[in-house]
Amino acid sequence: MRSSWAIQMTSTIVLTFSLVLLGIIFSFIKSSRYAAMKSQQNVKLEVFFKEDLKPEIDFEWMNQIKSFPEILNISFLSQEQAKEEFKKMMISSFGSLTEEASLLSRLPSSVSIQFQEGVSAETKKIKVDEIVNLAKQITTYDGYVYQQDWANWLASFTIKAEKGMMFLGLFIFLIFFLIISNVIRSQVVHKQNEIEIRSFLGATIWQIEKPFIINSIFLGILSSLLAISFLVTGISFLKQNIQPRSDMISSEIILAPNLFETFFVMLVVVSISAWAARVCVRERVYL
């Protein structure tokens, strides 16, 4: 009995951490998908200049850009504003280095251009080329960053990660099946004499396998609940601590599995547990 109890405890711990690992990877992919969606919605073009733009000279090209129906909003950031933003973002990491004059003098001014919702990626790319060509005519032009490239990379990465997770999920569920099978097989061997007596007295196969199936389902549910508790607690802790320490990463993008996803995984776990117990008992009874 003591060895059987130890096997169940060890198996529960292994199953729990297997599900926690699966949950962490699922939450990471879910968060990446959400971040990719948000980045696609909020994609911007940022054009940089070595000096602040002069309204009487440099703003003529802006009137052409404003006439594009695909443009939603245009905002300006002067060199002085860029310095203040840089200090706010980096002060917690670099301290007094953010006051370094030689560093701050290199910060450019910029024009941020946001597109209308519903504009296709191809149309955005065409307009980006037009806007950049116009900006290059200004002598202080210093380059540009188009966030669509990052958004596309993140979306592509998420798709590949989802495919990888499918194989990992199958592997973890296979491990789950093998561990449950090992637990039930040890219990069947321990109760072999009892099973033979009950079978000799006319007990049906369902009456023999029922207690083993119930026990395996209990192990599956217990492991699932423990894994969910660890995962939710860990994600809540991360969300509470990441925002005060980082201005670059929002806690909004860190997502935990919802109730439907949690219920689905528990249903799969219970099904695998019951199936593993049924296979092991019938295998031993028919020997």
Side-chain angles (χ1 to χ4, degrees):
M1 283 296 292
R2 184 173 297 177
S3 61
S4 177
W5 173 253
I7 291 174
Q8 289 202 57
M9 285 292 295
T10 305
S11 300
T12 302
I13 293 172
V14 174
L15 294 174
T16 297
F17 282 99
S18 298
L19 292 174
V20 168
L21 174 62
L22 184 65
I24 290 172
I25 296 173
F26 177 81
S27 297
F28 174 75
I29 294 175
K30 186 177 180 179
S31 300
S32 298
R33 184 191 297 171
Y34 179 75
M37 181 192 70
K38 295 294 288 185
S39 63
Q40 290 282 1
Q41 291 175 348
N42 302 320
V43 66
K44 294 179 182 179
L45 167 66
E46 291 187 88
V47 185
F48 300 99
F49 300 91
K50 296 175 184 177
E51 299 176 3
D52 290 343
L53 295 176
K54 301 176 178 61
E56 65 278 7
I57 301 174
D58 300 328
F59 273 31
E60 183 179 344
W61 71 288
M62 294 301 299
N63 294 326
Q64 294 178 264
I65 298 173
K66 289 177 181 178
S67 66
F68 294 167
E70 296 86 1
I71 302 303
L72 173 65
N73 183 52
I74 300 175
S75 58
F76 302 88
L77 190 71
S78 67
Q79 284 186 302
E80 195 61 35
Q81 290 171 323
K83 292 176 184 178
E84 293 302 318
E85 290 292 326
F86 177 79
K87 290 177 184 178
K88 288 179 182 177
M89 290 179 61
M90 300 300 178
I91 189 68
S92 59
S93 300
F94 296 98
S96 60
L97 283 176
T98 58
E99 301 290 342
E100 183 66 33
S102 61
L103 180 63
L104 295 176
S105 64
R106 297 175 182 272
L107 295 175
S109 65
S110 63
V111 176
S112 180
I113 300 165
Q114 186 176 1
F115 294 93
Q116 297 278 4
E117 288 187 19
V119 179
S120 66
E122 293 77 11
T123 302
K124 288 179 182 178
K125 185 62 177 174
I126 293 171
K127 292 302 174 184
V128 165
D129 292 338
E130 291 182 29
I131 293 170
V132 170
N133 286 332
L134 289 171
K136 284 179 179 179
Q137 298 174 18
I138 300 175
T139 56
T140 57
Y141 171 78
D142 196 35
Y144 77 96
V145 171
Y146 181 40
Q147 296 174 351
Q148 184 71 46
D149 297 333
W150 157 252
N152 289 341
W153 179 87
L154 187 57
S156 175
F157 168 79
T158 302
I159 292 172
K160 293 177 182 177
E162 287 175 351
K163 292 179 180 178
M165 184 187 169
M166 290 179 62
F167 290 104
L168 180 63
L170 290 174
F171 178 71
I172 288 178
F173 286 137
L174 175 61
I175 291 176
F176 208 97
F177 177 86
L178 294 175
I179 291 175
I180 290 290
S181 298
N182 184 58
V183 172
I184 299 303
R185 191 170 283 112
S186 66
Q187 292 178 348
V188 170
V189 171
H190 182 73
K191 296 184 177 182
Q192 184 65 41
N193 292 335
E194 180 184 333
I195 292 173
E196 290 177 356
I197 292 173
R198 294 185 65 187
S199 179
F200 179 76
L201 293 175
T204 63
I205 186 64
W206 166 244
Q207 290 173 328
I208 293 174
E209 67 186 9
K210 181 180 176 180
F212 297 101
I213 291 177
I214 291 174
N215 183 61
S216 65
I217 289 176
F218 172 77
L219 280 179
I221 292 175
L222 177 61
S223 300
S224 300
L225 292 175
L226 289 173
I228 292 167
S229 300
F230 286 134
L231 185 64
V232 171
T233 301
I235 290 177
S236 298
F237 177 81
L238 184 62
K239 293 181 75 167
Q240 289 172 4
N241 287 272
I242 196 171
Q243 196 63 49
R245 299 187 180 185
S246 175
D247 295 322
M248 302 179 69
I249 302 176
S250 172
S251 61
E252 181 189 26
I253 68 170
I254 303 174
L255 302 178
N258 58 36
L259 286 176
F260 174 78
E261 292 160 348
T262 301
F263 177 77
F264 176 76
V265 171
M266 287 189 67
L267 184 62
V268 172
V269 167
V270 167
S271 300
I272 291 175
S273 301
W275 181 38
R278 185 173 182 271
V279 169
C280 290
V281 173
R282 296 198 173 209
E283 175 188 274
R284 178 61 59 176
V285 168
Y286 290 135
L287 286 178

